[in-house]
Amino acid sequence: MAKRDRMSGNEAVAYAIKQINPDVMPAFPITPSTEIPQMVSTFIANGEIDTEFIPVESEHSSMSAAIGSEAAGARTLTATSSCGLAFMWEELLVAASNRMPIALALVNRTLSGPININCDHSDSMGARDTGWIQIYAESNQEAYDNFIQAYPIAEDPRVHLPIMICQDGFITSHAVMNIELLEDKEVKDFVGTYQPEEFLLNPGKPMAVGPYSVSNYAMEARYNQEAAMEASKDVIIEVAKKYKELSGRGFELFEEYRTEDADYIMLIIGSAAGTAKQAVDDLRDKGIKAGVLKLRVFRPFPADEIAAALSNCKAVAIMDRTESYNGHGGPLASEVTAGLYRNKVMIDTMCYTYGLAGRDFTVDTVYGIFDELKDIVENGAEYKQHRYVGLRSK
Amino acid sequence: MNGNSIEIRWHGRGGQGAKTAALLLADVCFKTGAYVQGFPEYGPERMGAPITAFNRISDKEIRVHSNIYNPDLVVVVDESLLGAVDVTSGLKENGAVIVNTDKDAASIAGKLNGYTGKVYTVDARKISVAALGKYFPNSPMLAAAVAVSGVMDKDQFINEMRSSYEHKFAKKPEVIEGNMKALTDTFAALEAYL
């Protein structure tokens, strides 16, 4: 039976971790994710779960300890944000290439500088090519739901990859909102017991983890990683279907909100999608056929599925909450436009950078963006294709 | 916002409990079955620096995650913010502002950048010192926010707050009665103006 409650996003993830009761959690605190290890260590101190908590001296060490523990055969997770993720960088790649199904609760915060504690996606987007699955949440509810689906995806023998469950720092991590929680037993049954096929502490089957690989073999290892990432797409969908049977809440690679007959679509990730949905409802009341495509899974990247979903609209606004400093848009802009081109979907695209370092994203901003799309389609207006929204006026 | 909804913006100074008040309001409204949102805006946190916190309370699911620019109600936890912060910015003319001060509404109204809507004042210092022996403005201002907004019935609010305080102050039960008195005294002080 579902339980109605109210929680912040950090509380929701800590609660999911409590229900999962993982074997090991090495962690080092950093705002805004600090509350997660703090709450989990309280659950452990109170005897509510028997997770082994390893306080480490840095994020490089927390990910190193996670790799060691996962290699030993223990279900492992950690949490971090921003510069903490950057400091894990080398180890993120080691975790993925050694095919460690570690879960990481990432509370998105901007990378320095100027130094700032607020939300954007520069941390996780910077780590987009480290070989981790990345799933993003609109709300505390989705952060909870995604976290419960993390291990069934990551530990699936077809996948065996680490997984990052992302939520927006402060915007969802520190906002108290309504939530529906599953019963402990439902979560335990859904997540199951971790039974690695091979692990270091298996005396009957000795193995090496992370040895040097000569050029004759290393490329095949990378290819297998890429194949596993591709295979994870089906697994993510399968797990979501099972999760819907349990919770009633359905998930896909992305959510299509009022896009069926939409002329204009905003493609966006995370909490800002909720704000965009409200704006779309308002615009629909005025007769403007607007919709939202909320990307949930960024790695693996569903390029073909997105292209198909956008194929009937006239223009799309692709929204990046990070900057690539390449002069033509962020990572989402680059990957979506590449996917459209390769699928020969030749609609108008506009790439917007928004919400950097906690800059607020409002329904008014969304109205303005849809106005521009409409202006392009109806009046042939020309705008610079990569634009910033929400900047202070001069 | 859709349906029956109210948006509240809190202005305080770091350390006064404006964020806690916003989270407590979300908590207590949740118990009435409402959809709630309570969140602070984080800057470089320092004691005494101006801070903002927000509430959305609705009978429909809340999806907007932005700050609140056109609130129905503004609660000013620290009078010294008037002049330093444009507290009534975007406040609906048919809304209201509550200011923590020992002055009356008429003498505060002139300091609100021309706001012509309803102005209420609460002497949270006097109420808090009388009830708790110390100055904690957030309980009186929380009660004032509920009294003025009418987001929930007074008796239900008082009952729910008792259980919230019993939970929150499990290790300091001696402050529960004082906080309860601060709530009821605030309702009593505002009664004549509502």
Side-chain angles (χ1 to χ4, degrees), chain A residues 112-132:
Chain A
S112 298
I115 190 162
N116 177 286
I117 59 169
N118 292 294
C119 175
D120 67 35
H121 298 153
S122 51
D123 48 4
S124 59
M125 282 293 163
R128 67 189 179 277
D129 297 338
T130 55
W132 284 60

Side-chain angles (χ1 to χ4, degrees), chain A residues 182-355:
Chain A
L182 297 167
E183 295 292 340
D184 293 355
K185 189 178 180 309
E186 290 175 318
V187 174
K188 281 196 173 59
D189 291 347
F190 185 80
V191 176
T193 312
Y194 183 36
Q195 287 168 324
E197 299 88 344
E198 292 172 327
F199 51 99
L200 273 179
L201 298 183
N202 183 358
K205 200 177 173 191
M207 66 182 287
V209 174
Y212 185 83
S213 179
V214 294
S215 300
N216 286 352
Y217 292 96
M219 190 160 165
E220 280 67 26
R222 303 284 172 86
Y223 171 78
N224 286 337
Q225 252 184 278
E226 167 66 10
M229 186 61 88
E230 275 181 57
S232 72
K233 216 187 262 183
D234 288 341
V235 177
I236 290 167
I237 293 166
E238 282 172 30
V239 170
K241 277 187 186 138
K242 282 187 204 146
Y243 191 73
K244 188 178 181 184
E245 287 165 22
L246 176 64
S247 68
R249 291 183 293 278
F251 294 92
E252 315 248 357
L253 300 170
F254 50 80
E255 179 192 343
E256 294 178 84
Y257 184 76
R258 306 191 78 165
T259 55
E260 206 175 280
D261 62 338
D263 291 331
Y264 313 105
I265 293 178
M266 175 173 284
L267 197 162
I268 196 161
I269 289 179
S271 62
T275 306
K277 287 176 188 172
Q278 178 63 51
V280 157
D281 284 356
D282 301 343
L283 292 170
R284 286 270 174 176
D285 289 343
K286 293 178 187 163
I288 297 164
K289 288 183 177 175
V292 175
L293 191 156
K294 179 184 81 189
L295 190 58
R296 172 178 179 247
V297 178
F298 183 70
R299 285 288 181 270
F301 188 69
D304 297 342
E305 293 87 344
I306 289 172
L310 295 177
S311 61
N312 292 320
C313 78
K314 292 173 181 164
V316 59
I318 308 164
M319 307 297 297
D320 270 294
R321 198 166 203 151
T322 188
E323 179 53 277
S324 286
Y325 307 108
N326 60 10
H328 75 133
L332 197 53
S334 299
E335 301 205 13
V336 171
T337 49
L340 291 173
Y341 181 79
R342 289 199 301 198
N343 285 277
K344 298 189 167 48
V345 177
M346 297 303 170
I347 55 171
D348 281 310
T349 59
M350 285 288 290
C351 308
Y352 294 95
T353 301
Y354 75 100

Side-chain angles (χ1 to χ4, degrees), chain A residues 3-312:
Chain A
K3 195 168 70 171
R4 290 194 61 217
D5 209 327
R6 74 294 190 195
M7 280 184 178
S8 71
N10 277 347
E11 286 176 298
V13 167
Y15 196 81
I17 292 172
K18 181 174 123 175
Q19 292 185 307
I20 292 166
N21 190 10
D23 298 319
V24 180
M25 180 172 191
F28 188 80
I30 181 166
T31 300
S33 60
T34 301
E35 289 175 335
I36 296 174
Q38 186 185 339
M39 289 173 198
V40 173
S41 52
T42 304
F43 297 144
I44 296 167
N46 291 344
E48 293 172 87
I49 54 174
D50 60 4
T51 304
E52 181 76 24
F53 189 88
I54 313 177
V56 287
E57 82 288 3
S58 76
E59 289 85 356
H60 189 277
S61 297
S62 66
M63 189 46 67
S64 298
I67 292 164
S69 125
E70 191 71 49
R75 184 178 269 163
T76 307
L77 54 76
T78 186
T80 198
S81 294
S82 182
C83 306
L85 187 73
F87 198 19
M88 283 181 185
W89 213 264
E90 177 191 11
E91 303 306 318
L92 292 176
L93 293 141
V94 175
S97 57
N98 281 297
R99 313 292 297 278
M100 304 294 179
I102 297 163
L104 170 61
L106 186 79
V107 183
N108 283 106
R109 164 185 158 184
T110 190
L111 285 171
S112 298
I115 190 162
N116 177 286
I117 59 169
N118 292 294
C119 175
D120 67 35
H121 298 153
S122 51
D123 48 4
S124 59
M125 282 293 163
R128 67 189 179 277
D129 297 338
T130 55
W132 284 60
I133 294 169
Q134 289 191 348
I135 301 186
Y136 290 81
E138 176 185 324
S139 59
N140 58 344
Q141 179 76 62
E142 290 189 3
Y144 172 81
D145 292 333
N146 289 343
F147 212 89
I148 290 166
Q149 295 173 68
Y151 283 120
I153 296 166
E155 292 170 358
D156 188 288
R158 291 167 287 175
V159 179
H160 256 287
L161 288 172
I163 187 165
M164 218 175 270
I165 301 295
C166 309
Q167 66 167 315
D168 285 346
F170 293 111
I171 302 170
T172 65
S173 72
H174 284 63
V176 170
M177 291 189 70
N178 306 61
I179 190 168
E180 263 189 30
L181 302 165
L182 297 167
E183 295 292 340
D184 293 355
K185 189 178 180 309
E186 290 175 318
V187 174
K188 281 196 173 59
D189 291 347
F190 185 80
V191 176
T193 312
Y194 183 36
Q195 287 168 324
E197 299 88 344
E198 292 172 327
F199 51 99
L200 273 179
L201 298 183
N202 183 358
K205 200 177 173 191
M207 66 182 287
V209 174
Y212 185 83
S213 179
V214 294
S215 300
N216 286 352
Y217 292 96
M219 190 160 165
E220 280 67 26
R222 303 284 172 86
Y223 171 78
N224 286 337
Q225 252 184 278
E226 167 66 10
M229 186 61 88
E230 275 181 57
S232 72
K233 216 187 262 183
D234 288 341
V235 177
I236 290 167
I237 293 166
E238 282 172 30
V239 170
K241 277 187 186 138
K242 282 187 204 146
Y243 191 73
K244 188 178 181 184
E245 287 165 22
L246 176 64
S247 68
R249 291 183 293 278
F251 294 92
E252 315 248 357
L253 300 170
F254 50 80
E255 179 192 343
E256 294 178 84
Y257 184 76
R258 306 191 78 165
T259 55
E260 206 175 280
D261 62 338
D263 291 331
Y264 313 105
I265 293 178
M266 175 173 284
L267 197 162
I268 196 161
I269 289 179
S271 62
T275 306
K277 287 176 188 172
Q278 178 63 51
V280 157
D281 284 356
D282 301 343
L283 292 170
R284 286 270 174 176
D285 289 343
K286 293 178 187 163
I288 297 164
K289 288 183 177 175
V292 175
L293 191 156
K294 179 184 81 189
L295 190 58
R296 172 178 179 247
V297 178
F298 183 70
R299 285 288 181 270
F301 188 69
D304 297 342
E305 293 87 344
I306 289 172
L310 295 177
S311 61
N312 292 320

